[in-house]
Amino acid sequence: MAENSENILPENFVEDNLKEICHLISKNSDEEFLYNFFDCLFTNNEMTDFAKRWQLVKELDSGVTQREIARKYNMSLCKITRGSKMLKNQDSAFRILLDRLKEEK
């Protein structure tokens, strides 16, 4: 079965669009506006998943086990393991943002 050429995304489609969004977000520091932007961009389920992923990273950082997080938020260990691997890299965006969060408290 031949693929419909209209369904094929151009090269760098994801990267280009995400970088464009990141650029625009970096120019805006209004938290309420950014929240509203995310609310427009994501469905309720996507927003919930987004929030869960950030929460799992914070909980991993505080020492909660992967199995506890999986049970608590009904998440796959695969998602949690990915977050755990990212946290081990001291230069990761997760680590940098968690450190900034800690500084704010």
Side-chain angles (χ1 to χ4, degrees):
M1 177 184 267
E3 280 189 271
N4 182 343
S5 62
E6 293 176 344
N7 293 332
I8 298 174
L9 298 175
E11 188 175 344
N12 299 323
F13 176 85
V14 173
E15 183 178 355
D16 290 347
N17 281 282
L18 288 176
K19 283 186 175 188
E20 181 178 63
I21 290 171
C22 290
H23 171 76
L24 292 170
I25 287 173
S26 75
K27 300 294 182 191
N28 190 317
S29 60
D30 180 344
E31 289 180 35
E32 187 66 28
F33 175 81
L34 291 175
Y35 183 88
N36 289 333
F37 173 71
F38 286 159
D39 194 41
C40 290
L41 187 63
F42 300 118
T43 65
N44 286 339
N45 287 340
E46 290 167 333
M47 289 279 278
T48 299
D49 191 48
F50 193 70
K52 281 181 177 180
R53 286 177 185 237
W54 178 241
Q55 184 63 32
L56 84 83
V57 170
K58 293 188 298 183
E59 291 198 23
L60 284 168
D61 189 52
S62 70
V64 178
T65 69
Q66 291 186 29
R67 291 203 185 279
E68 283 180 76
I69 294 168
R71 197 170 26 256
K72 187 174 182 180
Y73 298 107
N74 194 28
M75 297 179 85
S76 73
L77 284 172
C78 183
K79 282 183 187 176
I80 300 165
T81 299
R82 183 174 184 276
S84 179
K85 286 180 183 177
M86 295 293 162
L87 275 176
K88 289 177 183 170
N89 178 354
Q90 291 300 311
D91 296 327
S92 76
F94 280 162
R95 171 61 46 216
I96 292 166
L97 287 180
L98 285 169
D99 290 346
R100 288 180 187 168
L101 183 63
K102 289 174 187 174
E103 289 171 6
E104 288 182 1
K105 292 184 177 185

